[in-house]
Amino acid sequence: MTLSRRLFLSMVMAGTALPAPPTWGAAEPDVIIVGAGVAGLAAAKTLMAANKSVLVVEARERIGGRAVTDSTTFGFPFDLGAQWIEAGRTNPAMAILKEMNVRPVPDRQEQAIYVGGTEAPKEEYARFEKIAIDASRKLVEALRTAADVPVGRVLVAQDPLERLAYAMVGPLESGVELGELSARDFMRQPETEPQYSVPEGLGALVARWGAKVPVKLGTRVVRIDSTGGQVLVVTTNGQLNAKAIIVTVPTGVLASGPFGFAPQLSVARREAIAQLPMALYNKVALSFGRKVIDAPADRSVIGLNRKQEAFDAIVRPYNREAAIVFVGGAQARQLEEEGTGAALGFAVSALAEIYGNDLRGLLARSSVTRWGKDPFARGSWSMATPGNADKRLVLAQPHHDRVFFAGEATDPVWATRVGGAYASGVRAAREALAVLGAAGAKR
């Protein structure tokens, strides 16, 4: 028995070789962009299309940010971060595929449910769908009488199947526990279907898409000073000047204070950063020496292991003898603290309960992501704490007229998704263009 991969969520919400980007652009560009993720690249390309000079400064030694594909370890593209484009009919990030003439691949269509290593009976699949419908109704009703509420106050699991279903709302979808998740922020998201991936990996596509953007890699910003005639950007590789700047780094990085602002950020913006912390969603990729998983290619599996811990997985991706196991929220943080071996042990044990202990001795290669420990991300995407969904609009406001903010955290509709990063980059670029036009008119 199988269930549509994203049916539940639709109901509820009714190291790769990368193309080397150009280095320094204009000596004093019109706009400096901090961060070469999707938001920064979208902003740069929008400005370049308007014949403005830009320079992107990126702390990493690659572009793409939280979109990166490992195409060598397993013989198939393994997206360490962003992997899917949801709601493909309306998602702004579909513009990337269109520009690069890439045909999207529909996401996994079937999903198997396991509890304690045993597949759920047919009637439990039907009940799982009912849980989704009821969850949607409960959240809608709660938001009719309150401006916001923690999802965990509304969705309280009474049995293992509900526990699994609600994990697909919280840690395995949003990267946080239900008690930390804003119902309003969760429910404002567009429905997931149709969900797409790309054949080469989303990270590899983003790297190709942004390859002609002028980027200075390995360059950390120390200070942004907009009190003078031009915006001064102090970096580890020297000082730069521009007419405007767009900051696209994640809220986790902003909160850790890697660089300062002059004038100082407003109290409201600092509060917004604090109330939009980073969720955590990690992946464990495994390959095996021979066929050991008896399942169709690209089968989606969700379940609770014998310890009642929730997991999500894709088995035999790309028709390979491999699996990708997903873990989120508090469990992901615990496994990060315990180390790579703990994450591998969790993933292998979850699969062994279903497909047999033989796979333990057949593990050939593995890769574990640790986005919470990444100093340039500090997590996987932004989450709004209960009562603070509106803080996304606060964060998106310009600072001192010429400093603009982009990134998925600033988008009121597509936050947490690649579409939010793309849309926010375009929005911030247009805001910068308006300021540049006004400055030109004054001259």
Side-chain angles (χ1 to χ4, degrees):
M1 179 70 182
T2 56
L3 182 71
S4 171
R5 160 66 185 161
R6 291 294 175 180
L7 176 61
F8 179 79
L9 288 172
S10 294
M11 289 178 175
V12 172
M13 292 187 289
T16 288
L18 303 178
T23 55
W24 296 94
E28 289 192 359
D30 293 317
V31 182
I32 292 172
I33 300 167
V34 183
V38 170
L41 296 173
K45 290 171 75 72
T46 301
L47 290 162
M48 292 166 69
N51 297 317
K52 299 299 180 183
S53 58
V54 302
L55 175 64
V56 181
V57 291
E58 168 57 50
R60 301 181 191 272
E61 294 295 342
R62 61 169 179 82
I63 66 173
R66 286 166 281 170
V68 55
T69 304
D70 175 357
S71 298
T72 58
T73 300
F74 301 103
F76 63 84
F78 169 45
D79 276 310
L80 284 76
Q83 182 170 347
W84 296 289
I85 296 180
E86 304 91 345
R89 295 186 185 91
T90 56
N91 193 313
M94 288 297 288
I96 300 175
L97 280 70
K98 183 176 181 181
E99 182 178 338
M100 301 303 293
N101 195 29
V102 169
R103 179 174 294 182
V105 177
D107 186 32
R108 313 168 269 165
Q109 294 300 307
E110 294 184 343
Q111 185 173 66
I113 301 173
Y114 286 81
V115 176
T118 301
E119 185 173 5
K122 182 178 180 180
E123 58 270 20
E124 291 291 84
Y125 279 81
R127 192 164 76 87
F128 193 79
E129 295 186 26
K130 184 177 184 302
I131 292 170
I133 296 170
D134 288 344
S136 175
R137 175 184 54 77
K138 290 175 182 178
L139 290 171
V140 169
E141 288 179 357
L143 292 174
R144 283 184 183 142
T145 58
D148 199 1
V149 63
V151 171
R153 190 179 298 170
V154 180
L155 305 183
V156 180
Q158 301 298 323
D159 59 39
L161 197 66
E162 284 192 349
R163 178 183 173 86
L164 175 59
Y166 295 161
M168 297 300 294
V169 173
L172 292 177
E173 172 66 19
S174 302
V176 297
E177 300 307 304
L178 294 175
E180 305 168 10
L181 181 60
S182 158
R184 186 161 299 282
D185 197 54
F186 179 76
M187 292 299 286
R188 54 93 194 140
Q189 299 181 56
E191 291 187 7
T192 301
E193 299 291 352
Q195 180 165 283
Y196 295 121
S197 59
V198 294
E200 68 195 278
L202 186 55
L205 173 63
V206 168
R208 283 200 304 117
W209 172 67
K212 294 183 180 180
V213 172
V215 180
K216 180 62 176 175
L217 298 173
T219 302
R220 300 194 190 197
V221 171
V222 177
R223 183 175 175 80
I224 296 170
D225 188 338
S226 56
T227 60
Q230 287 197 311
V231 181
L232 172 66
V233 181
V234 182
T235 80
T236 52
N237 286 331
Q239 297 185 0
L240 299 164
N241 291 287
K243 299 180 182 70
I245 184 168
I246 299 174
V247 178
T248 73
V249 299
T251 56
V253 176
L254 289 172
S256 66
F259 51 85
F261 291 84
Q264 187 177 18
L265 297 180
S266 68
V267 172
R269 188 183 302 275
R270 296 200 303 272
E271 181 183 351
I273 292 169
Q275 297 300 335
L276 296 169
M278 298 298 286
L280 188 59
Y281 185 82
N282 278 325
K283 306 179 184 183
V284 182
L286 312 165
S287 67
F288 304 100
R290 62 174 172 81
K291 185 172 182 178
V292 68
I293 295 177
D294 184 14
D298 297 306
R299 165 64 57 85
S300 171
V301 176
I302 64 169
L304 294 177
N305 64 16
R306 289 169 186 157
K307 295 180 180 179
Q308 294 295 290
E309 297 166 324
F311 67 90
D312 186 7
I314 304 172
V315 297
R316 305 193 65 245
Y318 295 88
N319 204 26
R320 301 301 180 98
E321 303 313 315
I324 302 171
V325 178
F326 308 92
V327 60
Q331 191 170 27
R333 295 192 186 280
Q334 180 181 340
L335 292 174
E336 275 200 359
E337 292 301 322
E338 294 176 358
T340 298
L344 282 173
F346 171 82
V348 170
S349 294
L351 294 175
E353 288 183 5
I354 299 171
Y355 300 108
N357 282 320
D358 286 352
L359 62 75
R360 294 180 184 274
L362 293 171
L363 183 62
R365 295 183 180 87
S366 64
S367 178
V368 178
T369 68
R370 303 180 75 206
W371 286 106
K373 299 295 185 182
D374 185 325
F376 308 123
R378 307 279 181 173
S380 300
W381 50 72
S382 66
M383 56 163 283
T385 55
N388 291 292
D390 62 331
K391 295 297 191 297
R392 298 192 183 281
L393 294 175
V394 175
L395 183 59
Q397 293 301 307
H399 167 65
H400 203 226
D401 298 330
R402 293 172 295 164
V403 179
F404 305 94
F405 284 80
E408 52 82 16
T410 69
D411 193 88
V413 177
W414 296 96
T416 77
R417 299 175 175 181
V418 175
Y422 180 91
S424 71
V426 173
R427 183 261 306 154
R430 290 172 177 167
E431 291 173 345
L433 285 170
V435 168
L436 294 176
K442 291 177 182 178
R443 290 197 298 270

